[in-house]
């Protein structure tokens, strides 16, 4: 049985998995380096080739432009459920053959689901790439699902839900905060789904979703590693090029959008297992795709300035200057097709109440929103952001992930490559304006994680 456990299935996991997008975000920073080669096959499949000749290894990633925000209402968790089922085999390659082949050649593989995309990848010796392309192209449309595979896999997903969400108080709080933040947009649904809806997902649901969204014209193939772009095109034509396009897929994904936020909300989640209380505040803000020019990099810089490391304003104010908290951080999730989140979190010290923490957070925000950020602070955080993006380029899979995530959420290769230049160009005035406009409490949900001291009735898990 395939035991892939990289599936990004709760928002908490999503945020941590892409924390580097906030830290060093979507960027190929050595702008002097050659851009990746790109081409589109006749059936609409976009291909991106990122040469990296340091080791004789190659990473193949296929990104489908479909995630949990594209599910039919009432069938939450379907995108992630199908991700699991994609390992159940085809008529050409029975269940297990693909995974066993990857292991046998000394490679590794995995899959992940997010709000906006679903991805599958293998990292193998370069001479195995052709086989990997053949396997992946085959399961793009050749998946065979039988009830005897589907129903046990649904139980695996329910077990994953119990492990990742039901037994994780922080994940439960994030689930509730997201549901409160998005009044109308499907980002308010958990990627893994709501338990009572996962329980009802079946073979027909999975197949209908698969036939609707899995097609070359709804996918991006990213090949990173010891390859030459000129060799990839004929290989891609021979494998993926044979798969027919799906003409019903719309050119753009249009989801219900959020109304302007008018009321700050709070959510309290109490659980007996909580050892460390936590405050989380999420603001609804534009993503790199939806923001006006300059706004998204300003939010990147603002997040780093306020909560990126021990020199940040929130950390200094809450942990160093007057020790009210054991930790404090901020982040911005820029890689998103629609409106996204700016996140602040802090864990109070014993005996410190949430209002004391919030007072300091509000003061730091109001200070940044009203005053010009000192030039040396601005330079420091820009340098940190750009440096972390440069270091991250040493990882072939990370590079492939940057490109895949960005391209499936509406950005271009040029957007990715020019990110460091846009960070460098952010002015103190843009940072101040971003704080004033977007960190408005009306746009926020504040979540409180507290220890529940009352005796707890067990939640019924049917």
């Amino acid at each position: 049985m395939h035991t892939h456990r990289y599936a990004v299935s709760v928002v908490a996991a999503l945020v941590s998995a892409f924390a580097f997008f906030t830290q060093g975000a979507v960027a190929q920073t050595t702008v002097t380096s050659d851009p990746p080669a790109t081409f589109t096959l006749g059936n609409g499949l976009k291909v991106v080739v990122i040469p990296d000749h340091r080791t004789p290894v190659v990473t193949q990633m296929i990104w489908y432009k479909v995630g949990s925000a594209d599910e039919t209402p009432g069938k939450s968790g379907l995108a992630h459920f199908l991700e699991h089922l994609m390992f159940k085999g085809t008529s050409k390659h029975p269940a297990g053959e693909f995974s066993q082949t990857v292991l046998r050649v000394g490679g590794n593989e995995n899959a992940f689901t997010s709000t906006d995309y679903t991805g599958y990848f293998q990292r193998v010796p370069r001479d195995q790439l052709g086989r990997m392309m053949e396997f992946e192209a085959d399961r793009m449309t050749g998946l065979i699902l039988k009830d005897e595979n589907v129903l046990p896999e649904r139980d695996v997903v329910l077990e994953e839900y119990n492990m990742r969400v039901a037994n994780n108080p922080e994940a439960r709080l994030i689930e509730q905060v997201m549901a409160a933040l998005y009044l109308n947009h499907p980002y308010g649904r958990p990627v893994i789904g709501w338990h009572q809806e996962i329980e009802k997902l079946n073979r027909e649901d999975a197949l209908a979703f698969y036939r609707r969204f899995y097609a070359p014209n709804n996918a991006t193939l990213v090949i990173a590693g010891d390859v030459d772009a000129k060799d990839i095109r004929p290989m891609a034509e021979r494998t993926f090029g044979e798969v027919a396009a799906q003409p019903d897929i719309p050119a753009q994904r249009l989801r219900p959008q959020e109304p302007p936020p008018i009321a700050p909300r709070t959510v309290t989640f109490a659980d007996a297992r909580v050892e460390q209380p936590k405050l989380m505040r999420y603001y609804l803000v534009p993503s790199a795709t939806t923001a006006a020019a300059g706004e998204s990099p300003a939010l990147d810089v603002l997040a780093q300035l306020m909560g990126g490391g021990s020199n940040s304003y929130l950390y200094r104010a809450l942990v160093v200057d007057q020790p009210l908290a054991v930790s404090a951080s901020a982040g911005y999730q820029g890689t998103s097709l629609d409106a996204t989140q700016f996140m602040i979190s802090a864990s109070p010290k014993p005996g410190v109440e949430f209002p004391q923490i919030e007072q300091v957070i509000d003061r730091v925000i109001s200070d940044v929103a009203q005053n010009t950020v000192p030039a040396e602070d601005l330079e420091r955080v820009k340098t940190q952001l750009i440096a972390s993006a440069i270091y991250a380029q040493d990882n072939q899979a990370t590079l492939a992930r940057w490109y895949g995530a960005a391209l499936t959420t509406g950005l271009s290769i040029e957007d990715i490559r020019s990110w460091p230049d846009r960070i460098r160009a952010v002015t103190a005035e843009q940072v101040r304006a971003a704080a004033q406009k977007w960190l408005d409490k009306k746009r926020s949900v504040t979540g409180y994680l507290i220890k529940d001291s009352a005796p707890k009735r067990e939640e019924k898990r049917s």
Side-chain angles (χ1 to χ4, degrees):
M1 188 188 119
H2 184 80
T3 55
H4 70 296
R5 280 289 68 93
Y6 176 78
V8 178
S9 315
V10 286
V11 174
L14 175 69
V15 170
S16 63
F18 289 108
F20 59 77
F21 274 18
T22 342
Q23 304 313 325
V26 187
Q28 170 148 355
T29 53
T30 44
V31 183
T32 51
S33 69
D34 293 334
T38 57
F39 54 89
T40 303
L41 301 186
N43 58 11
L45 179 74
K46 291 188 175 60
V47 184
V48 178
V49 186
I50 308 163
D52 169 14
H53 299 296
R54 289 170 300 184
T55 52
V57 172
V58 64
T59 299
Q60 164 173 268
M61 296 188 107
I62 184 97
W63 296 72
Y64 291 98
K65 281 197 242 177
V66 59
S68 59
D70 303 298
E71 292 159 349
T72 310
K75 296 190 187 295
S76 63
L78 191 48
H80 173 245
F81 184 39
L82 178 59
E83 176 223 304
H84 278 242
L85 295 173
M86 283 290 283
F87 293 88
K88 296 303 175 190
T90 65
S91 55
K92 271 191 199 165
H93 300 293
E97 188 191 334
F98 191 174
S99 298
Q100 284 155 15
T101 305
V102 173
L103 283 174
R104 204 167 48 243
V105 301
N108 58 46
E109 59 158 356
N110 233 317
F112 47 89
T113 304
S114 145
T115 50
D116 294 318
Y117 47 74
T118 311
Y120 304 84
F121 70 88
Q122 306 82 34
R123 185 174 158 85
V124 293
R126 66 178 172 204
D127 62 345
Q128 299 295 323
L129 177 62
R131 285 172 88 186
M132 295 302 117
M133 290 171 94
E134 194 272 312
F135 272 118
E136 199 65 90
D138 174 49
R139 73 169 170 183
M140 184 176 270
T141 53
L143 188 63
I144 291 176
L145 294 182
K146 303 188 178 86
D147 272 344
E148 61 260 34
N149 300 126
V150 171
L151 301 178
E153 201 59 41
R154 188 176 65 193
D155 292 338
V156 169
V157 174
L158 286 165
E159 191 42 52
E160 188 181 339
Y161 176 92
N162 289 337
M163 186 179 74
R164 286 176 178 263
V165 185
N167 295 321
N168 180 340
E170 193 170 312
R172 291 298 319 249
L173 177 63
I174 290 172
E175 169 197 273
Q176 297 296 308
V177 167
M178 288 290 283
L181 186 67
Y182 290 97
L183 301 177
N184 197 42
H185 192 286
Y187 286 167
R189 291 196 298 255
V191 174
I192 198 166
W194 297 113
H195 191 279
Q196 80 273 13
E197 292 184 354
I198 303 170
E199 285 179 315
K200 296 190 180 77
L201 295 176
N202 59 34
R203 176 178 171 273
E204 285 67 36
D205 293 332
L207 278 174
F209 195 75
Y210 174 65
R211 289 181 184 134
R212 186 173 159 202
F213 291 112
Y214 277 56
N217 51 315
N218 203 36
T220 302
L221 176 69
V222 182
I223 305 286
D226 195 10
V227 292
D228 282 318
K230 64 179 187 325
D231 301 330
I232 296 297
R233 185 160 198 152
M235 290 167 78
E237 294 280 10
R238 248 190 339 266
T239 51
F240 292 98
E242 297 298 304
V243 184
Q246 213 280 54
D248 294 338
I249 292 171
Q252 274 183 306
R253 292 185 277 179
L254 299 172
R255 289 97 166 242
Q257 297 297 306
E258 283 301 295
I262 57 165
R265 279 144 278 163
T266 62
V267 174
T268 305
F269 181 66
D271 191 296
R273 292 167 295 194
V274 172
E275 292 306 322
Q276 172 64 61
K278 192 164 191 178
L279 177 149
M280 296 175 186
R281 189 184 291 166
Y282 281 35
Y283 292 87
L284 186 72
V285 300
S287 66
T289 307
T290 60
E295 266 184 343
S296 181
L299 286 164
D300 271 317
V301 170
L302 179 61
Q304 185 72 5
L305 196 64
M306 283 183 56
S310 55
N311 252 338
S312 66
Y313 293 171
L314 286 171
Y315 191 91
R316 289 210 304 247
L318 286 164
V319 183
V320 182
D321 295 352
Q322 40 173 335
L324 296 172
V326 291
S327 65
S329 62
Y332 164 59
Q333 176 57 33
T335 310
S336 178
L337 194 61
D338 294 314
T340 187
Q341 314 93 48
F342 187 104
M343 301 148 291
I344 291 172
S345 72
S347 300
K349 288 197 150 184
V352 175
E353 301 296 323
F354 286 129
Q356 294 170 267
I357 300 270
E358 284 193 84
Q359 214 175 347
V360 176
I361 292 173
D362 292 342
R363 193 184 71 228
V364 168
I365 291 171
S366 127
D367 192 40
V368 177
Q370 285 167 29
N371 303 306
T372 306
V373 173
E376 62 272 21
D377 290 355
L378 194 60
E379 280 313 300
R380 185 186 74 245
V381 301
K382 286 184 189 183
T383 304
Q384 285 168 346
L385 285 170
I386 292 166
S388 64
I390 290 170
Y391 299 142
Q393 283 187 82
D394 286 341
N395 185 318
Q396 188 182 102
T398 301
L399 265 182
R401 251 185 224 132
W402 280 348
Y403 279 102
L407 292 168
T408 47
T409 55
L411 298 176
S412 68
I413 286 195
E414 185 41 44
D415 291 332
I416 302 164
R417 288 173 60 78
S418 63
W419 185 83
D421 296 336
R422 292 202 307 280
I423 291 291
R424 279 190 195 99
V426 171
T427 65
E429 175 50 33
Q430 283 176 309
V431 173
R432 191 199 62 71
Q436 188 177 58
K437 182 174 184 180
W438 300 114
L439 303 191
D440 173 344
K441 227 164 185 180
K442 286 200 207 66
R443 308 189 63 85
S444 75
V445 176
T446 306
Y448 306 105
L449 185 65
I450 60 172
K451 190 173 184 67
D452 188 0
S453 47
K456 187 171 183 284
R457 278 190 313 124
E458 265 309 297
E459 261 188 82
K460 187 163 166 278
R461 289 250 84 83
S462 50

